[in-house]
């Protein structure tokens, strides 16, 4: 990555800021996995004011962008987000053009651009789903920080051939790799196919986020939340791996599988509580 440093009214807004570096690295990684073709995918991360202020002038916003959906609950909060129409492939080469650091205004009706989104760029088209998901996850998990959307290839493929009932979908994922139940005992949720970028898909996604960290968008991708980039990305990796196994064995004779009794034993051994209504033991 370039070590360029941008002087801004006495502050040093450096692309070496840990939160800018983390976003640059994770988007590059996701692009390398083939999940984020073209401008597919978007990430947002809640930041602490003190951390932002160490690298960026937070007193003089560069411009304000009106939101089509008010987010009073997030007033005054800081985020780093990917830009609308921006390619994950390019973030690492030019973070300032492809990422933005925002503060939600006091009224919750607009965002102030503090850094990045160069040349009039705007935040991700999925900002409604991101912001509404942040609101719901913060209510149930004070350590929540990240919302990540990606076009994970095998998850998308699985939504063509598998029943979209979320309990059945979760059970199949648990059965694909032993690790799955331990990593997401709370399961995955699924919404119907909807037009992306809309407030409607944002509301449907956020509604699921009251009970789940994961929402699958059929024939589109996956929305995942978490407290750290490692945990959030690791969750996507694990689900995508299970979906890959499902797709690899699809249509072939199954000679043995993990039984419900074995899944229950696994949960007991790792002290996790499987989502109710899935295992029959
Ligand atoms: O950012 O992934 O869902 C492009 C998308 C829309
Ligand atoms: Zn998408």
């Amino acid at each position: 990555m370039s070590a360029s440093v941008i002087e801004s009214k006495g502050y040093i807004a450096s692309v070496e800021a840990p939160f800018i570096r983390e976003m640059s690295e994770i988007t590059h990684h996701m692009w390398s996995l083939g999940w984020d073709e073209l401008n597919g995918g978007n990430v947002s991360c809640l930041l602490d004011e003190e951390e932002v202020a160490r690298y960026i002038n937070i007193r003089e916003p560069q411009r304000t962008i009106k939101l089509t959906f008010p987010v009073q609950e997030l007033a005054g909060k800081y985020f780093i987000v990917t830009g609308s129409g921006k390619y994950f492939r390019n973030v690492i080469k030019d973070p300032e053009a492809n990422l933005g650091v925002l503060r939600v205004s006091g009224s919750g009706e607009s965002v102030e651009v503090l850094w990045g989104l160069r040349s009039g760029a705007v935040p991700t088209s999925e900002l409604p789903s991101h912001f509404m998901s942040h609101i719901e996850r913060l209510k149930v998990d004070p350590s929540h920080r990240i919302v990540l959307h990606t076009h994970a290839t095998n998850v998308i493929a699985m939504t063509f051939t598998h029943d979209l009932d979320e309990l059945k979908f979760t059970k199949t994922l648990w059965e694909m790799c032993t690790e799955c139940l331990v990593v997401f005992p709370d399961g995955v949720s699924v919404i119907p196919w909807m037009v992306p970028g809309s407030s409607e898909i944002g509301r449907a996604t956020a509604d699921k986020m009251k009970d789940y960290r994961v929402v699958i968008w059929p024939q589109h991708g996956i929305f995942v939340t978490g407290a750290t980039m490692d945990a959030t990305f690791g969750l996507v990796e694990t689900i995508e791996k299970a979906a890959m196994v499902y797709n690899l064995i699809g249509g072939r004779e199954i000679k043995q599988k993990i039984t419900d009794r074995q899944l229950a034993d696994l949960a007991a051994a790792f002290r996790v509580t499987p989502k109710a209504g899935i295992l029959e033991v």
Side-chain angles (χ1 to χ4, degrees):
M1 195 199 304
S2 146
S4 70
V5 173
I6 303 118
E7 290 277 354
S8 166
K9 305 219 166 140
Y11 287 77
I12 296 173
S14 167
V15 294
E16 294 301 315
F19 47 89
I20 297 174
R21 193 171 338 150
E22 184 178 59
M23 286 285 277
S24 303
E25 286 171 1
I26 204 69
T27 48
H28 182 73
H29 200 62
M30 287 159 69
W31 170 74
S32 310
L33 286 163
W35 299 349
D36 296 285
E37 74 293 337
L38 202 74
N39 63 325
N42 25 79
V43 186
S44 63
C45 177
L46 181 59
L47 302 171
D48 288 337
E49 183 173 74
E50 305 82 76
E51 195 187 6
V52 177
R54 225 173 284 146
Y55 300 93
I56 288 169
N57 180 357
I58 61 169
R59 292 202 208 110
E60 290 165 68
Q62 296 172 0
R63 61 197 156 99
T64 297
I65 300 170
K66 186 120 181 76
L67 297 174
T68 51
F69 51 97
V71 285
Q72 179 62 50
E73 299 90 332
L74 300 177
K77 293 207 183 297
Y78 292 77
F79 293 90
I80 184 164
V81 303
T82 49
S84 177
K86 301 300 183 187
Y87 296 13
F88 276 18
R89 184 170 62 83
N90 293 336
V91 177
I92 206 153
K93 288 186 281 188
D94 192 356
E96 205 204 349
N98 295 287
L99 301 175
V101 173
L102 314 173
R103 177 173 55 212
V104 178
S105 69
S107 67
E109 284 172 6
S110 56
V111 287
E112 297 163 316
V113 179
L114 302 171
W115 174 88
L117 296 177
R118 203 177 54 224
S119 310
V122 294
T124 167
S125 60
E126 301 293 2
L127 200 63
S129 291
H130 280 253
F131 274 179
M132 292 181 205
S133 294
H134 280 293
I135 291 169
E136 293 307 328
R137 291 310 300 168
L138 283 168
K139 285 183 194 162
V140 292
D141 176 10
S143 71
H144 161 83
R145 275 197 328 121
I146 290 162
V147 174
L148 186 153
H149 165 60
T150 185
H151 299 170
T153 316
N154 282 282
V155 172
I156 297 174
M158 189 171 163
T159 64
F160 284 82
T161 56
H162 196 282
D163 192 317
L164 292 181
D165 175 275
E166 58 200 17
L167 297 184
K168 290 184 187 160
F169 207 94
T170 295
K171 184 170 185 189
T172 298
L173 291 172
W174 284 353
E175 289 172 335
M176 291 303 107
C177 314
T178 298
E179 196 181 42
C180 287
L181 175 62
V182 180
V183 176
F184 51 99
D186 46 340
V188 302
S189 65
V190 185
I191 58 168
W193 186 94
M194 294 173 83
V195 174
S198 59
S199 294
E200 289 70 34
I201 201 168
R203 272 190 285 276
T205 303
D207 199 44
K208 292 292 186 187
M209 291 294 184
K210 292 174 180 161
D211 300 307
Y212 291 93
R213 291 175 294 157
V214 180
V215 184
I216 289 172
W217 288 6
Q219 293 86 48
H220 184 148
I222 188 166
F223 250 78
V224 180
T225 64
T228 65
M229 200 61 89
D230 278 350
T232 312
F233 182 74
L235 187 52
V236 187
E237 271 183 312
T238 310
I239 294 166
E240 169 67 3
K241 175 69 164 281
M244 185 192 284
V245 174
Y246 176 79
N247 295 330
L248 284 171
I249 62 177
R252 294 163 70 183
E253 185 193 354
I254 304 297
K255 297 201 170 163
Q256 54 279 316
K257 58 192 283 196
I258 314 174
T259 65
D260 283 20
R261 177 75 264 156
Q262 289 169 330
L263 287 170
D265 290 347
L266 182 67
F270 284 86
R271 295 192 174 83
V272 295
T273 307
K275 185 165 184 67
I278 298 184
L279 299 184
E280 289 166 27
V281 283

